Amino acid sequence: MLSTKKHTPQLGLFHGLSDQLDQKHPLYQLANKINWPLFDDAFKKHYSEKMGKPAKPIRLMVSLLILKYVRNLSDENLVENWSENIYFQYFGGEQYFQANIPCVPTELVAFRQRIGEDGVELILQESIRVNEPPKDDENSIVVSVDTTVQEKNITYPTDDKLYKKIIKRCWIIADKESLDLRQSYKNVVISLGHQQRFKHTKHGAKSARKANKKVKTIAGRLVREIGRKLPLASIGVHLPFLKLYQKVLSQKRGDSNKIYSLHEPDVKCYSKGKEHKKFEFGSKASILIDQKTGIIMGAMNFTQTLHDSKTIPDVLEQFERLNGKEASHVFVDRGYKGLKEYKASKIHVPKPDKNITKERRQQHGKRAAIEPVIGHLKQDYRLCRNYLKGIFGDNINVILAAAAMNFKRRMNLWRTEAIRCWLLICKCLIDTYWNFIAQKLKLTF
């Protein structure tokens, strides 16, 4: 249910936050630059007008999503810092200081699920508008595209880890349903774990291999026994998990669509050819930036292990959906080899060409500017490790990270403009002072 708006016709005893804050602060300026009614009109359809508890204001929840990624905070730290930071509160639409937290951290989870991917894309679209991209001609829209892997918050997967987790989850199911297991194998699993510790030593490798096989055998026994002894009323609850465990036990090294994590079964393995990290486990993310301004104009996630050239159509469709125009030239690296054009967009892949023009050579060189953008997205905007659950969490995480970087870009420009104005004022004062000294010296001599 939508909450009623607070009416404050009478001013408080003290001044409001707008009178106390520095109006040149980047967050203050960004709060006045964003079109907040746009989100109210777009998201009010997700709320009931009559039933339910009054919800938090839409501006407050959207501002919390933006601040979470701009400041690289978790949900818990965000709501705690909001109660201490008056700029955060002004950004969220508060007129006076609030000493309490804005909401429970889990309300952010519910809000992300409520607005969905379309709502998150609207935030990205607003971040593009705030940066005021130049109005280029339809024939001169030049963009760069590249892909990366946003890793999921899982441990490095091994068969031994998965088998032990299956055994522990079987114990939990047995305790919950009060099943009498023929044997729990708890002491056996502990002793086998001691043998597995020495798998890299000379004398313990053979016993460690036998222990690994034994752990897998025990996991299979427990899964089958629980499947037989589960009551009919509980089969529907636990059957999907038992099928997942059975798939993990039956998969082999060369199989496709393998399970690498029990709590994130949709995670894929990507071999990027990096020396320091041979494999990355997560999903593929595609980033699109404008070559002239460096603004992130599109961001999309792919859960399949697609070739880079197969991601171009979806990325360009999103670019057209967010910006209302088509890109004329798309510059990519050699990983996109195979696709030359899509609709009215020409795909440029670098290759040896003696007749290449100087303009094309420079545009291929500018494509490298997307690499530090991806690096900043990973290190500063929560793209390095994704903590949001499921495929939906993968899809919205990359979009919110891109929107946050666009907002931070605008804030940095305001900060540099303020510094530039301050330096200009100082220069004028110094010049005036020295002119005054020079005139005094002329009169003296």
Side-chain angles (χ1 to χ4, degrees), residues 139-152:
N139 298 326
S140 62
I141 303 176
V142 183
V143 298
S144 300
V145 182
D146 200 2
T147 59
T148 185
V149 175
Q150 58 167 344
E151 296 184 68
K152 205 70 172 180

Side-chain angles (χ1 to χ4, degrees), residues 342-360:
Y342 178 75
K343 291 186 177 180
S345 304
K346 294 183 178 180
I347 315 300
H348 299 277
V349 181
K351 60 180 180 179
D353 186 5
K354 295 182 180 180
N355 299 325
I356 189 172
T357 62
K358 182 179 179 181
E359 181 183 5
R360 285 287 179 266

Side-chain angles (χ1 to χ4, degrees), residues 192 195-196 198-199 203-212:
L192 291 175
Q195 298 177 24
Q196 290 174 324
F198 303 100
K199 60 183 177 181
H203 301 287
K206 185 176 180 180
S207 61
R209 287 194 298 269
K210 292 182 179 180
N212 291 338

Side-chain angles (χ1 to χ4, degrees), residues 66 82 112 131 161 219 237 326 329 336 350 354 363 386:
I66 296 174
W82 189 92
R112 287 192 291 262
N131 279 274
K161 290 180 182 178
V237 178
E326 293 184 1
H329 300 281
Y336 288 83
K354 295 182 180 180
Q363 289 172 336
N386 181 19

Side-chain angles (χ1 to χ4, degrees), residues 131-145 288-297 319 325 327-331 359-360 362-370 373 406 409 413:
N131 279 274
E132 300 176 355
K135 296 182 179 179
D136 300 331
D137 297 333
E138 293 294 331
N139 298 326
S140 62
I141 303 176
V142 183
V143 298
S144 300
V145 182
L288 184 147
I289 67 170
D290 183 52
Q291 279 201 358
K292 292 184 179 180
T293 61
I295 302 172
I296 301 177
M297 312 291 284
F319 174 81
K325 52 189 177 182
S328 55
H329 300 281
V330 181
F331 287 85
E359 181 183 5
R360 285 287 179 266
Q362 290 177 348
Q363 289 172 336
H364 278 297
K366 289 181 180 180
R367 187 217 64 84
I370 197 173
V373 171
N406 284 341
R409 178 184 181 274
L413 288 177

Side-chain angles (χ1 to χ4, degrees), residues 10-54:
Q10 183 177 358
L11 295 177
L13 180 62
F14 304 101
H15 295 290
L17 290 179
S18 59
D19 300 322
Q20 301 174 11
L21 303 180
D22 179 13
Q23 298 186 1
K24 295 182 179 179
H25 193 278
L27 267 182
Y28 186 97
Q29 298 187 34
L30 183 62
N32 296 328
K33 189 73 173 178
I34 295 177
N35 184 14
W36 299 107
L38 173 69
F39 301 114
D40 293 333
D41 298 336
F43 298 157
K44 67 181 181 181
K45 62 182 180 182
H46 301 296
Y47 296 86
S48 173
E49 297 183 357
K50 298 181 180 179
M51 299 177 60
K53 178 183 176 182

Side-chain angles (χ1 to χ4, degrees), residues 309-324:
S309 61
K310 301 293 181 64
T311 64
I312 284 289
D314 293 332
V315 173
L316 294 182
E317 289 289 345
Q318 186 197 41
F319 174 81
E320 183 179 357
R321 185 168 62 250
L322 294 178
N323 302 280

Side-chain angles (χ1 to χ4, degrees), residues 376-445:
H376 283 294
L377 283 173
K378 286 196 169 187
Q379 296 300 323
D380 302 331
Y381 301 99
R382 304 183 69 81
L383 194 64
C384 181
R385 184 168 291 272
N386 181 19
Y387 296 91
L388 304 184
K389 186 172 179 58
I391 297 177
F392 175 74
D394 296 334
N395 295 339
I396 67 173
N397 186 68
V398 62
I399 299 175
L400 287 173
M405 189 168 182
N406 284 341
F407 285 127
K408 191 62 178 292
R409 178 184 181 274
R410 182 72 259 186
M411 293 166 63
N412 292 337
L413 288 177
W414 282 323
R415 185 179 288 109
T416 54
E417 289 174 1
I419 295 174
R420 192 182 298 112
C421 292
W422 182 80
L423 292 176
L424 183 61
I425 293 173
C426 292
K427 183 178 180 299
C428 294
L429 292 175
I430 293 173
D431 292 343
T432 304
Y433 173 75
W434 284 112
N435 291 334
F436 176 76
I437 295 297
Q439 291 178 2
K440 286 292 184 180
L441 291 175
K442 287 180 182 181
L443 292 176
T444 305
F445 295 102

